[in-house]
Amino acid sequence: MKEELFVSGRNIPYIDPYLNIWHWEIPVYLFLGGLAAGIMFFAGYFTIMRKEKEMQATVKYAPFLVPVALVLGLIALFLDLKHQLYFWRLYTTIRLESPMSWGAWTLMLITPLSMVWVASYTREVFSRWDWKFKILYQLEELIIKNRKSLAWAMMFLAVILGVYTGILLSAFNARPLWNTSILGPLFLVSGLSTGLATIIWMSKSKYERKVLSRLDLMLIGVELFLIIHLFMGFLAASEVQIEAAQLFLGGEFTVVFWVFVIILGLIFPAIMEILELRGFHIPIWIPSLLILIGGFVFRYVMVEAGQITRYLY
Amino acid sequence: MKTRRDFIKISAAGAGVAALGLSTLHWNGVKAQENTQHPVSDEEMTPYPTYCEVCFWQCAGWTYVDKKGSIKKIIGNKEDPHCNGRLCPRGTGGIGMYYDEDRLKTPLIREYKENGEAYFRKASWDEALDYTAKKLQAVADEHGPECIALFNHGSAGKHFGTFLNALGSPNIAAPSFAQCRGPRETAWIATFGEAVGSPEPTDIRDTDCLVLIGSHLGENMHNGQVQEMAQVIDRGATIITVDPRLSTVAAKSKYWLPIKPATDLALLLAWIHVAIYEDIYNKEYVEKYTFGFDELKEHVKNMTPEWAYGITTIKPDIIRKTVREMANAAPSVIIHPGRHVTWYGDDTQRIRAVAILNALFGSWGNRGGFYLKESFHLPKPHIPPYPKPTKTWRDAYPGQFKLASLALSSGICDATIPTEDRACSFKAWIVSGTNLPLTLPDIKNTKKAMDNLDFMVVIDTMPMEVTGYADVILPECTYLERYDLIRTLPHREPNIALRMPAVKPKYDSKPAYWIAKQLANKMGLGAYFPFDDITDLLDWQLKQVGSSLEEMQRIGVKKFDRENGGLYFQKGEDIEFNTPTGKIELFSNDIAAEGFDPMPVYTPHPEPEQGFYRLIYGRAPMHTFSRTANNHNLWDLKKENSVWINPKVAKLWNLKKDQLIWLKNQDGVVSSFPIKVRITERIRWDSVYMVHGFGHTDKKLSRAYGNGANDSELITKVMVDPIMGGTGMRGNFVTFLTEKPAKEVEA
Amino acid sequence: MRYAMAIDTKKCVGCSDCVVACQTENNVPHGYCRDWIVENVVGSYPNVEIELRSERCNHCDNSPCVRCCPTGASHIVEGGIVKVTHSECIGCGACIQSCPYDARYSHPDGYVDKCTFCDHRLALGQDPACVEVCPTSCLYFGDLEDPNSEVAKALKNRNWKVLAPEAGTKPQLYFLT
Ligand SMILES: Nc1nc2c(c(=O)[nH]1)N[C@H]1C(S)=C(S)[C@@H](COP(=O)(O)OP(=O)(O)OC[C@H]3O[C@@H](n4cnc5c(=O)[nH]c(N)nc54)[C@H](O)[C@@H]3O)O[C@H]1N2
Ligand SMILES: Nc1nc2c(c(=O)[nH]1)N[C@H]1C(S)=C(S)[C@@H](COP(=O)(O)OP(=O)(O)OC[C@H]3O[C@@H](n4cnc5c(=O)[nH]c(N)nc54)[C@H](O)[C@@H]3O)O[C@H]1N2
Ligand code: SF4
Ligand code: SF4
Ligand code: SF4
Ligand code: SF4
Ligand code: SF4
Ligand SMILES: [Mo]
């Protein structure tokens, strides 16, 4: 028999018996960040592809959610901080080695950018909107003229944001479950997928939904592929990572992961999207909502389970 | 890998994702001001000398006080031979005794409501002392002052000892005799003509072979010994540990002998047998200094390792190998006499065997064995002679326990319960610094005795169980807030140490000297406390020997040259031992004269029935008995005890790690509180182990209350040592209850 | 200069004195600690062995906690000591996640705290509080680059290991076995 115990009675809040320093705030932050990145990415993409007319929900309407999601995400991040009065310290330095730091800076850049984008469509969406000042009208004109460049910037930052939401966790080698390079792309793809799901939900155009559903199916396929690789990687790695994988393969997180994330969050919506593409009538909000729930649960579970995994004891 | 969250919670979070909106966000308590705690540098603090009161090793140290007047830490005094600048965890955590918010704060007097319910009323010192003086006087007048007894443990007891002697009673007992080292001292006096004493003069620092029988150094945190044991490990010298449990030191030993409990005497006799019959004992020493070798040789003739194997479960070749190791090292070998040795009722004889083995190897008085200790003597103030008592506690036990060198606490307790044939029983107790309900075995018996008292006053620092039975509670301040007598304990070098207050007493608590003197004044005994203030006494004493209070306040510890020669016997030196024959008595005439076996004889002890396990107990390094259980610093380290159970037994009972169970003993007594299961390979399957001092029942101990179980309440079978009255406490057997029994046994 | 600590697991008795001493020296609030003791029991009765380890921050040479800190509150000072500037810490917990040894904790006042190797004592030429108090003298501290330091001597004469080397942090607590 092997027995290991703290004889000094260590029992530190949030640290013992298992690490639990991050709660719902971080998964919310990651989820909203991924979702925002998804929407921005496709808004940018279809703008560059000159599909503004066909893809109105993607380019024009869904982006209105982005600043909201980002601000809510930032609020969640702020709520997670334990020394909140010192929040501003994030912006007194740029630390390239710290994903937290460049995440904070990316958000700092991308949030205004998304607002500018939204502003450029405000009068199209709300026809009675009035900018009141002349200078604002001039600015609007300028932005509209440079929408293409904006689109490039947005796509670029969206990718950074998306990857960041994945890398934030995988940068922590100390947590065996997060210690894998697959997590970055996986979270990116999942973020794009939640973005797409949101747009599909908002779209009124059959054509647009079809284009997006196809894309989404592709992403779901990639996601499933990455998840399989993730577990294969773990099972082929060190003991602690095998143990980490066990949390999802028979351990405490098995049901929630396979039911909410894989079946209800990926496979089920995928089937519904296929049926929809084949002409069956499916209330479109169902697969979208399932994807969103699956996306959040995925992050929540990864954050919770990841903290439990450790090298020692 | 285990997780602390269950499936239900997680899936609820998943399902509730839509609902997880802003409504659940909450403001995370923004802190208004910069509030970071930086350590205070030693240069910004004032150190005050003290010696520790968390156990009886009395290490000297410094109490550091910052500029705001708060005690920050306690650090060992580098000059002190007891600690060499390093306190043990309890000494370092002693600060928690001062800061404990549950401390006794004012004098309290027991009162009764109209419905008969008792309660404590706050009182002024004057009132409480008047009342105490009046009550004690009444007992002295009616029954004689000898019917008043003092139970004490620790520094405060000295002051009350003077008071009680002045009153005319010699009945002063500490649990450190009959519940602790009494059998050892009796055995040592019978063998070597002197007691081992505290601190033990074991020359562990220089030994080549250390043999520990039960003594669990490292858990038993008696500081100097632990430090020297670490040196033994560093030097790679041999340690042999005999313990049914893999104690910490057993795990560091070259040999661990997982003996069947209660059979050590057989092992010791077999060791003696091999030493003699393999001719590997120290002939020169034995011939020169001992008496009764031939009788001993004849006595152990048949006590072979093969004989002992059947009793102890220790293999004969291990028995031979280990005793040869001792012989190789001799005389630099220590067969440790132990300290808490009241185990099975034949303890004096067991320790006699230990003493004999040491004598055979010539370790007493030799380097690496036992050094010749020396203490410094301070002059005593002139006081009137004490009145001559007409009777003592011994009169309650005619013809018994003559070899008890000190009073028996359990003896006085028992003699408080009146019987027909006893002339007088005790009527009043003064209790200072000992938590009798947890300290004496058989709580019911202790309670019965207290029920029979006319009056009981308790001087303590904490609302421990014993205070609940008092008529008057007098709150003493902690050792960090007071002066006490100069420490003069013996060591390699004679030395003295000062304890002085680092801060003023908290609340309305007072030092024992003051309390005892006030009480004496009120009873017309002021002449026995000739100095107004203890500082005057200390300064007077110190000046007599060329020091002063002022000097001691600066240095804390002062060492003196030895006066009685070297640390060890000289080669060929003639020594007169204080025994009837003037020799080290392998054959004890004193013990023979009392009608007991002059040489130890092994007798089997009862064994647990099916489904029962022997209850053995000991120390945790971070706690002292019951006194530290509520100390916040130490409670952080260990909040409760657990019951150690071998995995095989756990499997049999289907017990899980950390499961809470109740223990029930052979007499049907069930522990008041449940205790957590520790499943561990570190213990035999016929025994279970727990740390003493937990399971507090007094709710005023806000941290300690209800944590863990109390071994004392399960020790209802007491095996009294017929030679000196020690209370053997390890003959109790327990079984496991996984559910709280419906009918609780009256506590 | 490279400060390091060696812990003799053969001498340590698990008394936890180093934990209390750290607590009083460094104002560590009740319920928290910067160092702790692990007991590891292997084997089965009667062939059982115990390893006792006094653990704390490893002051890693390759310290992920410093790298991941978004504000620079976690930083490295003279001798490789990893420190946290409380007034720069936002309490994001990233460093806590990044430490394979769970050596950091979130102080009730919000910032993150951990072992400092008692640099305020080193400044006075004293040893860390835990080293100085240990009754078995089983903690050795000093400059690894100085061959005469206690820690360098201990490592030279004994076998040792570090914890979780696979985490790649180059820890600077050496456990003598
Ligand atoms: N931390 C700490 N240290 C202390 C104290 C404290 O309260 N806390 N108290 C101090 C005092 S006053 C005393 S008296 C000492 C007591 O300390 P010791 O004299 O060392 O006490 P023991 O009763 O010998 O030790 C208990 C050990 O005996 C073993 N044991 C039980 N039954 C048997 C048996 O039948 N045979 C053998 N060979 N071993 C057995 C137990 O497994 C356990 O390891 O500790 C002192 N030191
Ligand atoms: N079941 C069981 N019984 C045992 C033992 C065991 O291992 N198991 N061990 C035995 C041994 S070896 C011994 S030595 C005895 C020890 O027996 P005790 O010395 O009675 O042990 P404690 O439980 O520590 O009780 C000490 C009391 O002193 C009080 N006190 C502490 N500091 C001060 C002070 O400065 N002034 C005053 N006035 N009071 C103070 C505490 O609050 C507490 O009430 O117990 C013996 N009894
Ligand atoms: S051994 Fe520990 S508790 Fe006992 S006097 Fe020394 S420091 Fe205090
Ligand atoms: S003080 Fe020393 S012996 Fe005690 S636990 Fe700490 S390192 Fe081990
Ligand atoms: S032990 Fe943890 S906190 Fe300390 S330096 Fe290494 S990674 Fe950082
Ligand atoms: S919690 Fe503080 S020290 Fe740790 S990474 Fe965040 S800002 Fe840096
Ligand atoms: S070095 Fe100082 S801060 Fe670090 S554990 Fe030891 S006492 Fe605590
Ligand atoms: Mo004792």
Side-chain angles (χ1 to χ4, degrees), chain B residues 655-669:
Chain B
L655 299 177
K656 300 278 167 297
K657 174 177 179 256
D658 290 341
Q659 182 182 346
L660 285 170
I661 60 169
W662 285 258
L663 300 177
K664 184 170 101 174
N665 81 354
Q666 73 284 340
D667 296 329
V669 175

Side-chain angles (χ1 to χ4, degrees), chain C residues 5 18 21-22 26 34-35 56 114-118 128-130:
Chain C
M5 194 183 282
C18 45
C22 178
N26 293 300
R34 291 179 173 187
D35 53 349
R56 57 187 61 52
K114 62 178 271 299
C115 165
T116 56
F117 265 169
C118 285
C130 53

Side-chain angles (χ1 to χ4, degrees), chain B residues 179-196:
Chain B
Q179 282 68 50
C180 179
R181 54 197 170 88
R184 174 186 91 178
E185 308 305 24
T186 296
W188 231 257
I189 291 170
T191 314
F192 295 104
E194 69 177 293
V196 178

Side-chain angles (χ1 to χ4, degrees), chain B residues 330-530:
Chain B
S332 180
V333 54
I334 300 165
I335 299 99
H336 197 289
R339 185 159 177 132
H340 172 67
V341 290
T342 47
W343 298 357
Y344 300 107
D346 57 356
D347 306 302
T348 304
Q349 293 290 23
R350 187 184 67 253
I351 307 300
R352 271 271 298 149
V354 171
I356 289 170
L357 201 56
N358 276 300
L360 287 177
F361 291 130
S363 60
W364 184 253
N366 268 313
R367 184 164 186 276
F370 296 79
Y371 62 80
L372 307 175
K373 63 187 177 201
E374 201 175 306
S375 55
F376 189 77
H377 293 284
L378 281 174
K380 295 221 160 66
H382 295 287
I383 49 173
Y386 293 133
K388 242 194 151 35
T390 56
K391 50 189 176 179
T392 82
W393 67 271
R394 288 182 197 270
D395 295 319
Y397 300 94
Q400 276 181 287
F401 314 137
K402 283 213 198 105
L403 295 180
S405 50
L406 294 170
L408 302 174
S409 41
S410 38
I412 290 178
C413 179
D414 293 348
T416 303
I417 304 167
T419 57
E420 289 187 358
D421 50 348
R422 224 174 254 144
C424 161
S425 47
F426 289 91
K427 296 292 180 198
W429 287 4
I430 305 172
V431 182
S432 156
T434 170
N435 190 15
L436 294 174
L438 270 78
T439 298
L440 299 176
D442 198 354
I443 293 192
K444 253 198 186 142
N445 187 63
T446 310
K447 285 183 183 168
K448 201 168 155 199
M450 293 189 290
D451 262 355
N452 276 295
L453 289 172
D454 287 356
F455 182 69
M456 175 166 158
V457 53
V458 174
I459 302 99
D460 207 303
T461 55
M462 292 291 298
M464 292 286 179
E465 283 69 11
V466 67
T467 59
Y469 299 92
D471 294 300
V472 176
I473 303 173
L474 302 176
E476 194 180 17
C477 53
T478 65
Y479 68 106
L480 301 174
E481 304 160 287
R482 67 181 193 231
Y483 282 100
D484 257 306
L485 297 183
I486 301 285
R487 184 195 80 187
T488 56
L489 290 177
H491 215 278
R492 291 183 175 99
E493 277 174 284
N495 63 84
I496 54 174
L498 174 72
R499 170 185 290 162
M500 73 176 288
V503 288
K504 282 213 196 70
K506 258 195 176 183
Y507 313 116
D508 197 7
S509 60
K510 299 279 187 195
Y513 180 87
W514 183 89
I515 303 173
K517 183 178 163 70
Q518 298 307 310
L519 217 45
N521 283 348
K522 287 191 190 291
M523 297 182 76
L525 305 169
Y528 293 92
F529 292 85

Side-chain angles (χ1 to χ4, degrees), chain B residues 51-60 82-83 86-92 221-224 479 624:
Chain B
Y51 59 86
C52 181
E53 181 82 7
V54 191
C55 87
F56 310 99
W57 204 254
Q58 305 195 351
C59 301
H82 294 236
C83 78
R86 295 163 186 265
L87 298 181
C88 89
R90 301 163 295 151
T92 308
M221 226 30 224
H222 271 171
N223 202 339
Y479 68 106
T624 303

